[in-house]
Amino acid sequence: MRDPSEAPIVEGLRRGEEAAFDRAYARYRTRLLSFLLRMSGRRDVAEDLFQETWIKLARHARGLQEDTDLAAWLFTVARNAWVSHRRWALLDVSRLVALDLEAPAREPDPDARADAARSVARLERALASLPAGSREVLILVGIEGFEQEQAAAILGITYAALRQRLARARAQLAERMEQGDGEEALA
């Protein structure tokens, strides 16, 4: 379902207006970077893919259709960039040997939010441990808030396939969360 407030942005992009690009960037930059960080687990990779996504928008803005769902378009481009990167990374043995996953720096949490911070960290660990296909569907629907139809379009799958993948991913996440609870109880 397309957000009607995107129409002026899309129209401006089609006309080549720099201000429209700036509005699109302001509107989606945080969500796109967050999505790519969660998918890749590496800030450097996420930032590269993030830039690639915006460069593609700049190159293809004039060719957008009037009814383009800009959020879905951007997330599709970002996801495709991630999939392409992952394919190349698997072929590049030197990258496999030099994998050095960096965790984003976190500020110390106030005491009042310590429990919530631990829960979020546990959820992020469980999410990161899922297969990429499960992780991406949960991020798109559960974190980024896309409707299931939009998420299916972004992933290039049918609505029925998305529902199956989402159900499976939710079950996997619940299992990982339970495993995490058991490990914390032993610690």
Side-chain angles (χ1 to χ4, degrees):
M1 177 180 293
R2 182 173 177 225
D3 181 352
S5 67
E6 284 186 342
I9 297 172
V10 171
E11 188 53 40
L13 288 167
R14 291 170 43 110
R15 288 193 303 262
E17 295 173 4
E18 190 174 320
F21 186 89
D22 293 343
R23 287 193 312 271
Y25 184 82
R27 186 176 202 164
Y28 294 110
R29 72 174 179 242
T30 303
R31 288 177 60 196
L32 273 172
L33 185 57
S34 175
F35 171 73
L36 290 166
L37 277 167
R38 285 186 168 105
M39 289 305 297
S40 68
R42 292 183 54 184
R43 179 164 288 284
D44 62 329
V45 171
E47 288 173 350
D48 287 347
L49 299 175
F50 178 78
Q51 287 180 1
E52 185 177 325
T53 301
W54 291 106
I55 290 169
K56 285 191 179 177
L57 177 61
R59 285 185 182 147
H60 299 285
R62 290 183 180 267
L64 294 175
Q65 299 297 315
E66 286 180 33
D67 62 345
T68 297
D69 181 336
L70 187 58
W73 191 93
L74 287 166
F75 275 82
T76 300
V77 170
R79 178 192 179 263
N80 289 343
W82 160 244
V83 168
S84 179
H85 167 79
R86 193 174 58 185
R87 283 186 192 131
W88 282 106
L90 290 174
L91 295 175
D92 187 352
V93 176
S94 64
R95 284 189 191 169
L96 289 175
V97 172
L99 268 181
D100 179 25
L101 299 178
E102 63 182 81
R106 299 185 191 265
E107 295 179 21
D109 295 318
D111 290 338
R113 295 190 283 170
D115 287 340
R118 279 192 291 274
S119 295
V120 168
R122 194 171 80 243
L123 176 61
E124 289 286 354
R125 281 192 304 273
L127 189 60
S129 73
L130 295 176
S134 297
R135 191 169 60 245
E136 71 185 352
V137 72
L138 286 171
I139 291 170
L140 288 171
V141 174
I143 296 173
E144 294 302 330
F146 281 100
E147 297 292 327
Q148 292 183 11
E149 294 86 359
Q150 287 177 302
I154 291 168
L155 297 172
I157 59 177
T158 66
Y159 176 72
L162 177 108
R163 289 181 49 92
Q164 288 178 332
R165 188 181 293 184
L166 185 58
R168 192 174 332 118
R170 285 177 174 154
Q172 290 171 332
L173 183 63
E175 180 181 316
R176 301 284 166 82
M177 291 293 290
E178 286 177 19
Q179 288 172 351
D181 287 341
E183 291 170 6
E184 286 179 10
L186 294 174

